[in-house]
Amino acid sequence: MHSHARLLIRYHLLSVLFVSSAVLILFSGRADSEETTKTDTETSSPLVDSPLTPEESLSSFELHPDLQLELVASEPEVIDPVAIRFDELGNMWVVEMIDYPLGPKSADEVPMSRIRKLRDEDQDGYYETSTVFADKLLFVTGVLPWKEGLIATLSGEVVYLKDTDQDGKADVKETWFVGFAEENTQLRANHPTFGLDNKVYISNGLRGGEVRNVNPAWADQAKSVPLSLRGKDFRFDPETGEYETVAGNGQFGLTIDSNGSRYICSNRNPCMQVLLEDHYLARNPQLIVPTTVNDVSPAGGESRVYAITRAWTTSNLHAGQFTAACGVHRYEGTRLPAEFYGNSFTCEPTGNLVHRDVFTPSGATFSSHYGREQTEFLASRDEWFRPVNVQTGPDGALYICDMYRAVIEHPHWVPDELKNRPDERYGDDLGRIYRVVPKKKTDSDLTRTIDRTNQSALLSAIVSPNSWQRSTAARLIFEEQPAGLEHELRRSLKEAVSPEGRVQVLHTLAGLNQLAKEDLLTAFQDKHPRVREHAALLSETFLAKVPELQQAMLDTASEGDSRTLFQYALSSGAGEDSTFRQQLLTQVVSNGVLDQWTRAAIISSATNLEGEMLGGLLQKITNSEQAPSAMQQNFFAELALIVGANKDPHEVSQVLKLLIDLFQQSRSSSKLVVMESLKSFLTGYQTRGERKAISTLSEYLSEESQTELDQMWVQLVELVGSEQGETALSQAALPLLIYTPSAETVPVLTSLLDTTNNQALQQQTLEILGAHPGTEPVEFLLDEYELASPRIRRAILAYLLRDQERIQTLFDEIEGKKIRAAELDQNQQKALMNHANAEIKSRAQELLKSNISADRTKVIERYQASLAKDADAKRGKVVFAKVCSSCHKVGDIGVDVAPDISDSRVRKPIQYLTDILDPNRAVDNNYFSYTVLTTEGQIHTGIITSETSTSIILKQPEAKEVSLLREDIELIKADGVSLMPTGLEQNITVDQMADLISFLKNWRYLDGQIPIEANQPLN
């Protein structure tokens, strides 16, 4: 490449105005957060005048001192490799995404992605023989060998490719599934992976889709209906075509370990373990979980990477962190030293490195630490090195795909003037694949092939210590379904040396439909907890009908580690016998770690047992001298929430009476637990499912217990009144004042508002006050409104909106120009204009009718005058706190609900202006607003942050979260717009806009550590 071209690259890299998150095709589309999709790009400022040859590039690497790097393929044998898989014949199948970054510009252009087959004919370690198996494909993202062909993910589809005439090229192409999202070229379904359960898993690429089966060979094809992948990944049976969603929402990366655990990643999340599957959660319709995945590796701002290149990032906040994590892989091979077994490896192409984390068991999941402090597993000084994927090979070595490009970024988000930058495709004729091996020779001589017709070879490979050997043998057995092999497999179940092999044998027997009760009883007697864990998992089909399996679980529960007990808790729900479930779950509570995953597992299986479990645990803890742990307290509260929501008369009566009694009897430490449990119980009773007033609790209580309840309400009010939220007990009591008699409660809360200067306490008090009817505090609050902070003004508005009489007072204030209609956010205005009360609805539609110009271009033109004004960043800080901080965070002001707008080092003021005034111009799917209508007619609007078969969680301004059960939802509708409302110009003048943009550009300098002129030019 000529030097003037390289200078042009440098010029463009340094003149980037508004670049995307270092996004490397789907590997880093940064859709998990628009914060980087729109403002966080890392790309390299070249150190050399041209790309290095493969041999030159090898000398630029720094690797773990015990290991060495070998080149196994490079251009012209391979170009732009983004994924590899090995088949049983030793072929390396390579996905070449030559379409990157944008693909064909018109329908007339031919797609350029392809799949190659590479072979090492002379067995010297270099794959010198390369043939194109399939070409003219659009955005291929992954392959999986299957029945002497390939399952591939590409352009919204799952297809099957096969060469039947032995000419080396695919002549069969069957489309199996369609409907995976395609609107973003970088974020598409990927990584078809054969699982321990003999199913194929696919990472959805973050964009979801409506997927259906279109393969005529599968019997149910005619009945196929679209399946929404919103927030989910995908699984199907390659034999029958049965398909379903599974938990997780991976970007580009998917790996399944020997225990069947799935790990996914996204730009800022280098390794996430999927823990809670929907079919478990669905058993308890009252169960809401905040997430189904755990960040095993530090994520986001907690992550650290140590590049040895000058990896230039527009996000100074994200420098030295993961911004393009992709290709996560858990290594379980045998070639590398033992210390690397079970480690995770994640690519960071923008930092020119591969990161390693070492796992440590932590309850039901893992935590991790870096393989070497402040030093990466593999890093390069060659800034064209773009690792995007990692795999374990047949030989047990670690293989790395290097796309080898000059620039890795997401053109969709860059400004118009850079969309056709000349360096965009530099390197599209290059590519490398490397192998990591130990410096010291090992005795490992694993064959790189497995003969599918040789049962002895299959039996040997399926218990191999190398994960590739086991998985490939299992796949071949599942494909061939050989008769009579189950007898030898049962021998391996008893004799195989490694627990990983014995676990694989169990699932292979299941795939052959040969798993018997005796096999499971053998597994329950196994000395290794992982084998017993899978005995429990595979017992679920038989558990209700086979008492011996129930007894085996009960007998071995005390021997299990935390992961085994987690699975026992999940699997116990398959048993119909409530006595068995209660006995087993009690053992899990006593012996396990009550982390959030195990608590969810227990509750998923404890349907109709929650009250009895809660009562026994509370009695035990309040009689103990030892204070309950935080995990125990959370567990009590979660059980109490479901007891209240279930509204079973016997449970409500029993638990409520117990809570009242324990409140009177307990010491301070136990009283806190009781109050937290009571709060959760009442929350579930009143606000989930069918709404019931607290007054209806009397239906469940005797006259004596009702008197005790009334006394407790009085004590709670007195406690808050005397201690003013300054003690732990009064802080715990405060939320319970939602339920106490209004006549006694309202004066105490009003007094607390008047005396405290703690804004968080003021806000909480206003929320509680809003639950009480009447207008007694209204005059006081309106007097305070004008001088209140933005946070408290929003809390006052929320208080006014909680009562129909107060809403009319709010309307009076709007009519009198004392409160501007624009101060009500989009959600609030929508709720008022659709109010069930006809008078409120009519008045709202008149007062709140939109004065917002639909022509955003004209509004932007009008406000462009702000860019030429003298601006003051300090004044802009006040404007930001007033109009932006309920959703955005800059420095220490605001909350993280919406995308990060604080990374301003290279963003131009005109871009801020455009985004503020036209928020729907470029919206990431993950920040689309959703409107949810409940069965009771309530309307909620927000961003969906978690979704399971039983619930969704919406995130709203002020970082508020609304948890909704599916059974309470009438409708979920994508609004197709940003959560940020259009029409911010109603709240901000041209001068204020100038100050606001100055603050966004200069906020990091206002502490005086880096001197600037406060009114420095905006551009």
Side-chain angles (χ1 to χ4, degrees):
M1 185 179 299
H2 297 299
S3 60
H4 74 272
R6 296 297 298 180
L7 289 173
L8 189 56
I9 295 175
R10 179 184 289 273
Y11 168 76
H12 278 287
L13 293 177
L14 297 180
S15 64
V16 171
L17 306 179
F18 166 30
V19 250
S20 71
S21 133
V23 279
L24 162 78
I25 40 189
L26 17 112
F27 326 116
S28 31
R30 197 45 200 147
D32 60 322
S33 171
E34 185 182 341
E35 97 188 53
T36 46
T37 305
K38 296 184 70 175
T39 62
D40 177 23
T41 290
E42 292 181 357
T43 190
S44 300
S45 177
L47 285 176
V48 294
D49 291 333
S50 62
L52 302 180
T53 67
E55 293 74 21
E56 290 170 336
S57 190
L58 270 174
S59 66
S60 71
F61 288 101
E62 291 185 4
L63 179 62
H64 190 285
D66 296 337
L67 306 174
Q68 64 185 16
L69 200 64
E70 299 176 347
L71 183 72
V72 297
S74 65
E75 68 275 0
E77 282 77 35
V78 63
I79 294 170
D80 286 338
V82 300
I84 61 170
R85 288 291 168 84
F86 296 88
D87 69 15
E88 67 276 10
L89 300 177
N91 300 312
M92 181 196 294
W93 296 93
V94 184
V95 173
E96 298 183 323
M97 189 179 283
I98 306 173
D99 286 309
Y100 174 76
L102 290 175
K105 296 181 180 178
S106 70
D108 297 331
E109 293 188 20
V110 177
M112 294 185 292
S113 285
R114 59 195 178 195
I115 300 171
R116 280 189 189 258
K117 180 170 74 172
L118 269 61
R119 285 194 61 81
D120 177 11
E121 299 282 3
D122 56 10
Q123 296 294 299
D124 67 347
Y126 186 84
Y127 287 72
E128 76 291 331
T129 304
S130 175
T131 57
V132 175
F133 177 73
D135 61 0
K136 299 178 182 179
L137 304 174
L138 182 62
F139 287 112
V140 186
T141 57
V143 293
L144 171 67
W146 176 254
K147 291 191 174 180
E148 300 181 279
L150 296 174
I151 296 170
T153 47
L154 55 90
S155 58
E157 301 177 341
V158 173
V159 302
Y160 177 65
L161 304 169
K162 190 172 183 179
D163 169 20
T164 61
D165 57 11
Q166 306 303 311
D167 67 350
K169 294 183 180 296
D171 51 77
V172 170
K173 180 183 177 184
E174 300 173 358
T175 302
W176 286 3
F177 297 99
V178 298
F180 296 92
E182 297 183 73
E183 68 268 20
N184 188 305
T185 60
Q186 319 301 324
L187 301 170
R188 301 195 174 199
N190 58 86
H191 278 74
T193 303
F194 190 71
L196 191 63
D197 58 359
N198 307 295
K199 302 293 196 301
V200 175
Y201 288 80
I202 290 176
S203 184
N204 91 25
L206 295 186
R207 285 298 189 258
E210 299 285 330
V211 179
R212 58 191 177 90
N213 160 23
V214 293
N215 183 6
W218 288 328
D220 64 347
Q221 187 271 331
K223 302 176 184 177
S224 177
V225 294
L227 184 69
S228 173
L229 284 192
R230 185 179 64 209
K232 302 287 182 62
D233 285 334
F234 185 68
R235 175 175 76 173
F236 70 94
D237 186 321
E239 287 285 355
T240 67
E242 295 177 14
Y243 61 104
E244 62 184 325
T245 60
V246 290
N249 188 19
Q251 188 169 342
F252 186 81
L254 168 62
T255 183
I256 300 177
D257 69 14
S258 60
N259 202 47
S261 294
R262 278 186 297 129
Y263 302 87
I264 54 178
C265 60
S266 64
N267 275 14
R268 301 275 282 154
N269 304 76
C271 183
M272 298 177 280
Q273 182 185 8
V274 180
L275 283 151
L276 295 170
E277 292 293 355
D278 256 9
H279 67 275
Y280 290 122
L281 302 179
R283 295 185 308 212
N284 194 328
Q286 303 293 344
L287 176 59
I288 293 178
V289 295
T291 180
T292 58
V293 300
N294 175 52
D295 277 303
V296 176
S297 298
E302 300 299 315
S303 68
R304 293 291 180 271
V305 293
Y306 301 96
I308 59 174
T309 54
R310 296 185 300 178
W312 181 73
T313 172
T314 62
S315 166
N316 69 325
L317 299 183
H318 294 167
Q321 302 170 11
F322 270 104
T323 63
C326 57
V328 64
H329 182 71
R330 192 169 189 202
Y331 175 75
E332 292 181 319
T334 51
R335 190 78 176 273
L336 303 188
E339 67 183 281
F340 295 96
Y341 188 89
N343 294 181
S344 68
F345 295 87
T346 304
C347 299
E348 174 61 35
T350 58
N352 319 108
L353 58 88
V354 177
H355 180 82
R356 168 190 170 218
D357 278 322
V358 180
F359 283 21
T360 302
S362 178
T365 180
F366 299 93
S367 59
S368 71
H369 63 269
Y370 298 160
R372 292 187 294 166
E373 283 302 317
Q374 301 189 22
T375 305
E376 292 300 339
F377 170 75
L378 173 66
S380 177
R381 291 180 296 278
D382 179 0
E383 294 180 345
W384 287 51
F385 174 59
R386 303 296 184 181
V388 297
N389 224 324
V390 181
Q391 285 290 308
T392 300
D395 57 351
L398 196 67
Y399 288 75
I400 297 168
C401 290
D402 173 13
M403 198 175 180
Y404 208 75
R405 286 281 189 113
V407 175
I408 296 293
E409 65 185 38
H410 193 321
H412 181 71
W413 297 110
V414 304
D416 292 341
E417 60 267 34
L418 291 181
K419 286 190 183 296
N420 296 311
R421 52 192 296 177
D423 57 349
E424 190 177 80
R425 291 185 56 82
Y426 287 176
D428 64 2
D429 57 349
L430 306 174
R432 288 89 192 263
I433 298 172
Y434 298 98
R435 175 174 50 232
V436 180
V437 295
K439 287 181 177 178
K440 291 183 178 180
K441 296 282 186 180
T442 65
D443 295 332
S444 175
D445 59 348
L446 286 172
T447 177
R448 295 186 182 185
T449 63
I450 302 175
D451 184 351
R452 68 167 61 234
T453 65
N454 185 328
Q455 289 196 2
S456 176
L458 291 171
L459 289 166
S460 175
I462 205 166
V463 294
S464 166
N466 179 18
S467 61
W468 180 89
Q469 300 278 336
R470 290 194 306 272
S471 178
T472 301
R475 173 178 60 80
L476 295 174
I477 292 170
F478 187 66
E479 289 176 9
E480 299 295 328
Q481 296 283 308
L485 191 64
E486 64 272 14
H487 304 297
E488 293 299 324
L489 287 170
R490 289 194 173 101
R491 180 181 298 173
S492 295
L493 181 60
K494 297 178 180 178
E495 298 177 359
V497 173
S498 73
E500 294 87 354
R502 299 196 294 276
V503 167
Q504 183 65 74
V505 167
L506 277 174
H507 284 275
T508 300
L509 283 167
L512 294 173
N513 294 313
Q514 295 294 329
L515 187 66
K517 175 184 72 174
E518 289 72 22
D519 302 322
L520 293 168
L521 291 173
T522 296
F524 275 122
Q525 296 304 312
D526 198 283
K527 62 182 180 296
H528 201 281
R530 293 290 73 74
V531 182
R532 298 197 299 274
E533 173 188 337
H534 285 270
L537 173 65
L538 291 168
S539 291
E540 291 173 9
T541 306
F542 314 97
L543 203 56
K545 300 176 183 178
V546 184
E548 296 97 318
L549 294 176
Q550 295 182 15
Q551 191 60 49
M553 291 180 74
L554 290 170
D555 291 344
T556 56
S558 60
E559 304 168 11
D561 61 9
S562 297
R563 173 71 204 194
T564 305
L565 290 174
F566 167 70
Q567 185 60 53
Y568 274 33
L570 289 171
S571 297
S572 67
E576 297 174 359
D577 185 338
S578 60
T579 301
F580 158 71
R581 285 191 292 130
Q582 185 170 1
Q583 288 177 343
L584 184 56
L585 293 175
T586 299
Q587 286 206 57
V588 174
V589 172
S590 299
N591 299 312
V593 174
L594 289 179
D595 58 15
Q596 68 180 96
W597 315 107
T598 305
R599 298 197 306 267
I602 294 169
I603 294 172
S604 76
S605 295
T607 309
N608 300 322
L609 297 174
E610 299 94 345
E612 194 164 351
M613 290 184 68
L614 177 63
L617 292 169
L618 282 173
Q619 287 276 23
K620 183 177 180 180
I621 206 70
T622 52
N623 291 330
S624 171
E625 294 296 322
Q626 187 175 356
S629 68
M631 288 183 181
Q632 288 174 318
Q633 293 182 56
N634 289 334
F635 185 48
F636 301 155
E638 290 159 359
L639 284 172
L641 186 74
I642 291 178
V643 172
N646 282 337
K647 298 180 179 63
D648 176 84
H650 174 70
E651 279 196 338
V652 169
S653 173
Q654 192 176 46
V655 169
L656 184 57
K657 185 177 187 313
L658 176 63
L659 289 169
I660 294 169
D661 291 343
L662 292 177
F663 178 81
Q664 301 297 343
Q665 301 168 10
S666 300
R667 305 176 310 278
S668 291
S669 60
S670 298
K671 196 182 290 286
L672 285 171
V673 178
V674 172
M675 286 195 286
E676 288 296 328
S677 299
L678 178 62
K679 180 180 73 174
S680 293
F681 168 81
L682 294 172
T683 299
Y685 182 80
Q686 189 181 38
T687 63
R688 296 173 67 181
E690 178 190 355
R691 283 183 175 269
K692 288 195 175 185
I694 290 300
S695 60
T696 60
L697 285 172
S698 59
E699 299 172 11
Y700 305 99
L701 296 175
S702 65
E703 185 174 338
E704 180 184 357
S705 294
Q706 180 63 52
T707 300
E708 292 173 346
L709 177 62
D710 293 339
Q711 291 173 347
M712 185 176 68
W713 294 145
V714 172
Q715 289 174 303
L716 289 167
V717 174
E718 291 176 348
L719 179 59
V720 173
S722 62
E723 299 184 9
Q724 295 285 292
E726 295 179 357
T727 64
L729 279 177
S730 65
Q731 289 167 8
L734 185 59
L736 290 167
L737 266 57
I738 289 176
Y739 311 106
T740 52
S742 297
E744 290 78 18
T745 303
V746 170
V748 169
L749 293 176
T750 306
S751 172
L752 180 56
L753 272 176
D754 192 33
T755 56
T756 184
N757 293 319
N758 184 320
Q759 287 205 8
L761 184 56
Q762 288 176 336
Q763 186 177 20
Q764 183 184 19
T765 303
L766 280 165
E767 290 173 0
I768 297 164
L769 192 58
H772 291 272
T775 60
E776 181 182 336
V778 167
E779 186 174 343
F780 162 73
L781 292 173
L782 292 177
D783 288 342
E784 297 291 315
Y785 186 83
E786 186 63 32
L787 297 177
S789 69
R791 179 179 182 180
I792 300 304
R793 286 165 75 106
R794 289 190 290 267
I796 292 173
L797 289 175
Y799 163 79
L800 294 172
L801 291 167
R802 293 281 294 274
D803 178 274
Q804 293 189 18
E805 190 176 353
R806 298 198 296 256
I807 290 173
Q808 297 291 4
T809 301
L810 172 61
F811 286 160
D812 292 343
E813 294 293 302
I814 292 174
E815 279 185 334
K817 310 295 185 185
K818 296 178 181 178
I819 294 177
R820 289 178 300 110
E823 294 191 58
L824 295 171
D825 66 33
Q826 188 179 32
N827 301 341
Q828 293 167 334
Q829 293 191 32
K830 182 184 293 186
L832 288 170
M833 290 191 286
N834 292 281
H835 204 281
N837 181 294
E839 183 182 354
I840 290 175
K841 179 178 180 180
S842 174
R843 198 173 178 193
Q845 290 177 345
E846 177 63 29
L847 284 172
L848 306 178
K849 60 184 177 183
S850 178
N851 293 316
I852 300 171
S853 170
D855 190 339
R856 295 285 90 197
T857 302
K858 288 184 178 179
V859 175
I860 293 169
E861 288 175 356
R862 188 167 79 246
Y863 272 77
Q864 277 189 325
S866 65
L867 304 183
K869 289 181 172 289
D870 289 338
D872 187 321
K874 293 180 180 178
R875 289 198 306 261
K877 182 177 182 179
V878 177
V879 177
F880 175 84
K882 180 180 179 182
V883 300
C884 308
S885 61
S886 63
C887 289
H888 293 279
K889 184 173 184 179
V890 171
D892 58 357
I893 304 173
V895 293
D896 283 318
V897 176
D900 184 3
I901 60 174
S902 63
D903 286 328
S904 56
R905 195 163 64 189
V906 299
R907 291 195 68 193
K908 289 289 186 180
I910 184 61
Q911 293 163 325
Y912 274 119
L913 183 70
T914 302
D915 286 348
I916 290 169
L917 296 176
D918 191 4
N920 296 314
R921 179 171 293 195
V923 177
D924 188 283
N925 285 20
N926 290 301
Y927 288 94
F928 274 147
S929 169
Y930 283 82
T931 295
V932 178
L933 175 67
T934 71
T935 53
E936 297 176 344
Q938 292 180 311
I939 298 173
H940 301 280
T941 303
I943 300 166
I944 295 179
T945 58
S946 178
E947 185 171 12
T948 71
S949 59
T950 60
S951 66
I952 68 167
I953 296 178
L954 286 175
K955 197 169 186 180
Q956 298 179 329
E958 300 280 4
K960 294 177 181 175
E961 288 190 340
V962 177
S963 300
L964 298 167
L965 293 169
R966 292 272 184 192
E967 63 183 28
D968 298 335
I969 295 173
E970 183 75 26
L971 174 71
I972 302 177
K973 178 178 176 290
D975 298 326
V977 296
S978 168
L979 184 66
M980 179 177 173
T982 301
L984 196 68
E985 68 272 10
Q986 295 184 105
N987 292 332
I988 186 170
T989 66
V990 172
D991 287 338
Q992 289 173 324
M993 181 68 78
D995 293 337
L996 173 60
I997 295 175
S998 180
F999 169 70
L1000 294 174
K1001 287 290 295 179
N1002 301 312
W1003 65 270
R1004 57 178 57 79
Y1005 310 124
L1006 296 184
D1007 60 7
Q1009 294 183 24
I1010 304 176
I1012 63 160
E1013 294 295 328
N1015 62 347
Q1016 70 175 36
L1018 285 176
N1019 56 0

